[in-house]
Amino acid sequence: AKALGRGRYEFFDVALRERMQRRLRMEQDLRDAVHSGQLWPAYQPVVDLPTGEMVGVEALLRWTHPVHGAVSPAEFIPLAEESELINEIGKFVLRDTTREVASLRSARGLDLSLKVNLSVRQLEDPQLVPAVRDALATTGLPPSALCLEVTESALMRDEVAAAEVLAALRSLGVLLAIDDFGTGYSSLAQLRRLTLDTLKIDRSFITGIADSRDAAAIVASIIAMAHAVGLTVVAEGVETAEELALLRQLGCDQAQGYHLGRPLPAAELFAQ
Ligand code: C2E
Ligand code: CA
Ligand code: CA
Ligand code: CA
């Protein structure tokens, strides 16, 4: 029993060490990835429900690892957030996507808006506001064509600090969205104080609305509440024609999802 006990400790040590080593390796790889063109933004269309037109695109970062291939942002964004690397990556995303969308707008005469995700660490970075200002100035993208998405949980972590940064961003003229709405615990009063423009209903609320009256009623009440405080409502994760029809009927303003378009490299999205 004694030997088994010691063996177990060794087993756990090895497993833990391997996990930590993989993490360190991935972190180092991510550091290199920023400088070697392995990170690139995919763009998912955002569709206006009354007209059916594409009115914007959300930039979703992709990592093509030289050995492991596609690594999901669900894995590498949290890794970047633990290591301050997120600030560097975030600035790259801002520069690259504003440049790409500004040139698409002028080349094609499209009035397209760009949505960029911000992580909570970026809200704490004093360089964030200047970085946004620089990206706009350098590319000529109108501030009103940029919408920054911040998750509900990020906003609620330090509400007072968040409100201050959001006010500074807002003074640049950009729009602000609360992302993944419904997954946190924010109240209507908090939302009002933050003076946002857009509310994105999390995919978990959209899945199944076509089959459940209760699920649809919840989404209907989120839309009503958001409209009451003057927010534009975007539904995420629309995967079927039935969900789309129902959201239109409920008065939702805009939608995204595989049914409307998957995230694609800019060249592919605009080849059509
Ligand atoms: P998010 O901002 O909530 O983005 C929506 C996610 O849902 C994306 O996953 C998108 O590809 C996926 N999606 C879109 N439509 C559908 C659908 O119809 N069905 C399903 N099942 N999924 C759909 P993705 O691209 O893997 O990104 C995951 C998360 O990583 C994002 O969630 C966002 O929080 C984060 N992320 C991505 N790019 C960036 C970035 O540039 N900066 C930061 N800070 N975070 C990012
Ligand atoms: Ca988002
Ligand atoms: Ca989301
Ligand atoms: Ca999400």
Side-chain angles (χ1 to χ4, degrees):
K2 216 173 178 182
L4 180 67
R6 193 163 49 213
R8 279 181 173 229
Y9 277 115
E10 279 168 11
F11 171 76
F12 282 122
D13 278 351
V14 170
L16 183 65
R17 193 163 60 232
E18 277 177 359
R19 249 200 337 268
M20 287 178 63
Q21 278 170 348
R22 176 181 154 93
R23 262 252 303 270
L24 282 173
R25 256 198 321 272
M26 288 298 262
E27 195 184 309
Q28 184 53 50
D29 288 355
L30 189 54
R31 213 169 280 283
D32 301 336
V34 188
H35 304 288
S36 55
Q38 294 165 25
L39 295 181
W40 55 275
Y43 294 96
Q44 182 175 41
V46 180
V47 171
D48 181 59
L49 288 185
T51 63
E53 269 169 40
M54 173 164 77
V55 288
V57 288
E58 177 176 3
L60 292 160
L61 195 57
R62 297 292 177 256
W63 180 10
T64 310
H65 189 284
V67 177
H68 306 298
V71 183
S72 164
E75 179 179 359
F76 73 81
I77 293 287
L79 199 63
E81 283 172 341
E82 280 168 32
S83 64
E84 295 277 353
L85 205 54
I86 191 65
N87 290 329
E88 200 181 332
I89 291 175
K91 274 170 227 158
F92 161 76
V93 170
L94 278 167
R95 276 197 309 271
D96 203 54
T97 60
T98 49
R99 187 182 45 72
E100 203 152 34
V101 170
S103 77
L104 273 168
R105 283 170 57 99
S106 55
R108 299 174 184 244
L110 289 172
D111 188 13
L112 208 60
S113 88
L114 166 66
K115 330 280 172 183
V116 171
N117 292 288
L118 291 185
S119 98
V120 62
R121 286 296 279 274
Q122 289 177 271
L123 291 183
E124 293 158 358
D125 179 6
Q127 286 179 42
L128 174 68
V129 177
V132 173
R133 188 193 299 119
D134 286 356
L136 294 170
T138 310
T139 62
L141 186 74
S144 60
L146 178 62
C147 178
L148 300 173
E149 302 191 354
V150 186
T151 62
E152 186 181 13
S153 55
L155 289 179
M156 294 308 135
R157 194 160 94 162
D158 183 350
E159 205 196 321
V160 177
E164 212 168 290
V165 184
L166 295 190
L169 290 170
R170 171 172 287 282
S171 72
L172 299 177
V174 302
L175 304 180
L176 301 168
I178 185 166
D179 203 354
D180 296 352
F181 182 79
T183 58
Y185 300 93
S186 52
S187 68
L188 190 54
Q190 285 168 317
L191 284 187
R192 260 172 57 108
R193 270 203 299 279
L194 287 170
T195 60
L196 304 156
D197 303 282
T198 298
L199 179 149
K200 297 187 77 168
I201 305 176
D202 192 65
R203 171 159 58 88
S204 57
F205 289 87
I206 304 303
T207 308
I209 52 166
D211 309 314
S212 154
R213 274 172 175 275
D214 289 350
I218 290 168
V219 169
S221 71
I222 295 175
I223 294 171
M225 177 204 81
H227 281 168
V229 294
L231 296 170
T232 298
V233 184
V234 183
E236 313 188 302
V238 177
E239 293 186 348
T240 68
E242 291 74 26
E243 288 165 357
L244 185 67
L246 184 55
L247 286 163
R248 196 173 262 137
Q249 196 186 316
L250 294 176
C252 186
D253 303 296
Q254 298 173 356
Q256 286 174 255
Y258 293 165
H259 177 68
L260 295 161
R262 289 185 178 256
L264 290 172
E268 274 177 55
L269 182 62
F270 293 96
Q272 303 139 13

